[in-house]
Amino acid sequence: MNVDAAVAAAAAIAGVCTGVIAMLAFRWSERDQARPTRSSLHTDAVLPPGVDTVLSVLRSSAVVLDEADAVVKASSAAYALGLVRGGKLAVEPMLQMAHDTRRDGEIRQVELDLPRRGTGRGDALAVSARVAPLGSRLVLLLVEDLTEARRIEAVRRDFVANVSHELKTPVGALSLLSEAVMDASQDPEAVTRFAGRMQIEATRLTNLVQELIDLSRVQNDHPLEDAEPVPVGELVAEAVDRCRHQASTKQITMAAGGTADLRVWGNRGQLAAALGNLVENAVNYSPARTRVGIAARRVAAPGGDLIEIAVTDQGIGISQRDRERVFERFYRVDPARSRATGGTGLGLSIVKHVVASHGGEVNVWSAEGQGSTFTLRLPEAGTVRDRERDGRGSNGPLLGPDDPAVGGSEDETFTDEPLPDSSTPSARPSRQAHP
């Protein structure tokens, strides 16, 4: 009897323990369900009504912090800039601003230079950060990327400084030469010599002003509003005629070919100026008794056929470091040589702007001591009839220093006389070199 009582008592105790454990488990489960998760902290429920909508349309990167400095809301741009990592604000100066604003409720703003995350580059990311209280518990941080604005401002300052310097040089020379003429009024030979120098400086000043006007025009105009099909052969002929005198003075042979039935879509005047600048540079930077070649071809592209126009010389070439900057305004590979040839440093910048505004691109291949090849790629005019592909690829320059159009023997079909009829086979480059 005593044994049965003991068993019953043990069973009762076990039942009571099981019930207590079950009740505790149920309470624990309810507590876990009521506890906010990490994802729930990022929901809109903790934000004042309408704030999430406003933050979603802002151009600035937005971060909302709670009392524990945990990120309640962050835009994708904030993550892209590296402001938020692991649910925390990763920029210490901004975090301190948030602490100060939470303490006194004042709005704060500061500009910072942040390291670029994962790029390995030394340049910094310039940002403007503004912190303001959002309700009684939250703090709003707005960050605007100023890197591009600062770069543009630096370009503008450099441009103004370069223009001032380039204008000052010929103007100062004219002033000095005019004084020399007055002092040498009794010496006809000196007056003639100084007057010749004044003409050179006046021409340099005129060219600089004209190229500044051309650069401003191509940056502000919309060339495709007055676009038309422009025969490539006519552009090449105009470029050759423009440089024929300089080329003959240096005994440089100018050869052209491959322009038959090719047309580009754009503004004739701007395209002629761009190609003329390339040919003029090729002549100016080539030694005497060398060749300058101009060739064109059609290449297939995903968005429609393109026309490639390549200008190749046997000049001094361009180093790898300089190739990355030759299209900058006023940048000169050899300043002394540029001034000797009357260059302003704006020609390639004009070429770049013209080609970009026409939906194309310009590339350069060069090797020091071997020459350079500048290649324009422009959309083909839609009115040109389809013709069979000649099977040539689109990689590499059309001409290299060893191509017949540039460095071939004197009995080649290319000539520095007026351009041949491009419909004849002899007007095409006979082969293609890949440096």
Side-chain angles (χ1 to χ4, degrees):
M1 188 67 177
N2 291 335
V3 174
D4 292 339
V7 172
I13 293 172
V16 171
C17 292
T18 303
V20 171
I21 293 173
M23 182 179 66
L24 291 175
F26 178 74
R27 290 292 181 87
W28 186 269
S29 176
E30 283 190 333
R31 183 179 175 183
D32 280 349
Q33 292 179 2
R35 179 185 301 165
T37 62
R38 179 179 178 182
S39 61
S40 67
L41 288 175
H42 295 263
T43 61
D44 300 338
V46 297
L47 294 176
V51 172
D52 185 55
T53 302
V54 173
L55 295 181
S56 65
V57 298
L58 290 177
R59 297 181 60 183
S60 304
S61 304
V63 180
V64 179
L65 304 176
D66 63 10
E67 306 99 316
D69 291 332
V71 176
V72 175
K73 180 76 177 180
S75 64
S76 58
Y79 287 98
L81 290 178
L83 304 179
V84 178
R85 300 176 194 171
K88 295 289 185 179
L89 185 62
V91 183
E92 184 61 33
M94 296 181 186
L95 195 59
Q96 184 60 46
M97 290 172 60
H99 291 166
D100 296 340
T101 296
R102 188 181 295 109
R103 184 184 66 252
D104 55 25
E106 291 186 4
I107 298 175
R108 289 174 169 80
Q109 184 169 352
V110 68
E111 292 188 1
L112 300 171
D113 291 333
L114 307 178
R116 291 181 182 268
R117 184 178 63 168
T119 62
R121 295 188 295 178
D123 53 340
L125 188 70
V127 298
S128 173
R130 186 178 180 88
V131 179
L134 185 62
S136 59
R137 300 171 46 246
L138 305 178
V139 172
L140 172 63
L141 172 68
L142 296 178
V143 180
E144 184 176 357
D145 187 357
L146 303 179
T147 308
E148 183 65 15
R150 285 193 180 180
R151 187 192 68 81
I152 293 174
E153 177 64 19
V155 170
R156 186 192 66 80
R157 287 197 305 268
D158 291 343
F159 179 70
V160 172
N162 286 328
V163 168
S164 301
H165 174 74
E166 294 296 334
L167 289 174
K168 183 178 179 180
T169 300
V171 169
L174 287 171
S175 177
L176 292 174
L177 288 169
S178 64
E179 292 179 5
V181 169
M182 294 177 63
D183 294 339
S185 58
Q186 305 301 321
D187 186 351
E189 274 189 33
V191 169
T192 302
R193 184 172 66 255
F194 292 142
R197 288 294 305 167
M198 291 178 69
Q199 287 183 338
I200 294 174
E201 296 299 334
T203 301
R204 177 181 298 176
L205 183 61
T206 301
N207 292 339
L208 175 59
V209 172
Q210 184 58 51
E211 290 203 345
L212 286 172
I213 294 173
D214 293 341
L215 180 61
S216 176
R217 181 179 295 118
V218 300
Q219 286 180 311
N220 297 325
D221 285 358
H222 300 282
L224 298 185
E225 291 181 355
D226 301 320
E228 60 177 334
V230 182
V232 174
E234 294 181 8
L235 295 177
V236 173
E238 185 173 339
V240 170
D241 288 339
R242 169 178 168 177
C243 305
R244 191 177 298 280
H245 175 70
Q246 298 99 305
S248 62
T249 301
K250 299 173 67 175
Q251 301 180 31
I252 293 176
T253 301
M254 301 183 69
T259 62
D261 297 331
L262 298 182
R263 297 188 179 190
V264 293
W265 185 256
N267 183 289
R268 176 187 291 268
Q270 291 191 11
L271 292 174
L275 184 58
N277 283 344
L278 291 182
V279 176
E280 186 174 15
N281 277 357
V283 172
N284 288 337
Y285 286 90
S286 293
R289 294 179 293 279
T290 57
R291 288 178 180 253
V292 170
I294 311 169
R297 66 176 177 181
R298 178 188 288 108
V299 295
D305 287 353
L306 298 175
I307 301 300
E308 276 191 359
I309 307 174
V311 179
T312 301
D313 62 62
Q314 295 175 303
I316 59 176
I318 307 172
S319 67
Q320 175 64 39
R321 177 179 58 85
D322 290 323
R323 282 202 298 272
E324 299 173 357
R325 301 189 59 189
V326 291
F327 295 103
E328 294 180 14
R329 289 172 288 190
F330 292 109
Y331 185 80
R332 295 184 177 95
V333 175
D334 185 351
R337 187 181 182 92
S338 295
R339 289 188 172 89
T341 59
T344 63
L346 291 174
L348 291 180
S349 180
I350 293 174
V351 172
K352 179 180 178 181
H353 281 288
V354 169
V355 175
S357 64
H358 282 74
E361 63 179 2
V362 56
N363 300 311
V364 57
W365 171 91
S366 185
E368 292 185 85
Q370 299 183 35
S372 305
T373 296
F374 285 84
T375 304
L376 305 180
R377 280 192 167 197
L378 296 164
E380 183 180 20
T383 56
V384 179
R385 68 180 184 274
D386 293 332
R387 69 176 186 179
E388 276 187 37
R389 300 277 186 262
D390 58 10
R392 288 180 294 181
S394 60
N395 296 325
L398 271 69
L399 298 175
D402 298 326
D403 195 281
V406 182
S409 61
E410 292 299 328
D411 59 355
E412 291 289 346
T413 56
F414 296 91
T415 175
D416 59 347
E417 296 302 317
L419 290 178
D421 182 3
S422 58
S423 62
T424 62
S426 63
R428 300 176 182 273
S430 60
R431 62 183 173 89
Q432 189 178 5
H434 296 276

